Amino acid sequence: MTGTSGEDGRALRSETEQVVNETAQGFRTLDDGTAWFSGLSPAGRQAVLREVGGYVMQAHITAADGCAGVARSGVKPTANPSVMICMDPPRYGFADLPADEHVEAFRVLVSVFAVADTRRRETDCKGTCGHAWHHLPAAVEGS
């Protein structure tokens, strides 16, 4: 088996959640998040792309979120990950892209997630949110 499992898989999911949410909320730069991602094994990068793809789906991205995220990602709009996320409906399967496209896919997914999650924090969750990942400032300040 080439994927992550057990405690390693749980630790990677927890670390992924932390890094992606810190990046989406501006506590970590996209370049810092990308450096973390680039340091993972190929199997780890695929696992992270699947996880972050799930975050993007849960954020209920819109076509406008996709376009804004691609613009903020620094990835060309014609790159495969950019095209996939801007389709209507968006296409997923970023972990199945060739390995040399994984960094671009990560940048696109995190950037689109940042746009959609910010929109949701300002609308759906405003003042009533119980999502732990929407309350990072206190956790980050103590780091």
Side-chain angles (χ1 to χ4, degrees):
M1 187 163 142
T2 59
T4 56
S5 62
E7 283 187 40
D8 289 342
R10 283 188 294 280
L12 181 59
R13 282 190 303 276
S14 177
E15 187 174 8
T16 299
E17 182 179 312
Q18 182 82 21
V19 170
V20 169
N21 280 290
E22 286 177 1
T23 303
Q25 294 178 40
F27 296 112
R28 181 185 295 246
T29 67
L30 182 57
D31 287 341
D32 288 342
T34 302
W36 167 83
F37 177 80
S38 295
L40 298 173
S41 69
R45 287 191 293 267
Q46 286 181 303
V48 166
L49 289 174
R50 283 189 287 276
E51 184 77 14
V52 180
Y55 299 169
V56 170
M57 288 175 65
Q58 289 177 338
H60 304 287
I61 67 166
T62 64
D65 295 338
C67 292
V70 166
R72 135 188 243 186
S73 73
V75 176
K76 291 181 184 177
T78 56
N80 283 333
S82 300
V83 172
M84 289 168 66
I85 204 72
C86 290
M87 294 176 98
D88 189 19
R91 300 294 186 269
Y92 294 95
F94 295 91
D96 297 329
L97 288 168
D100 63 344
E101 295 184 47
H102 285 175
V103 168
E104 288 181 337
F106 178 80
R107 291 182 69 90
V108 165
L109 284 171
V110 170
S111 296
V112 171
F113 175 69
V115 170
D117 196 54
T118 297
R119 174 181 47 78
R120 290 181 56 111
R121 277 195 321 275
E122 293 171 353
T123 57
D124 300 348
C125 289
K126 191 169 188 160
T128 62
C129 180
H131 299 121
W133 58 89
H134 285 166
H135 300 283
L136 288 181
V140 174
E141 288 172 7
S143 324

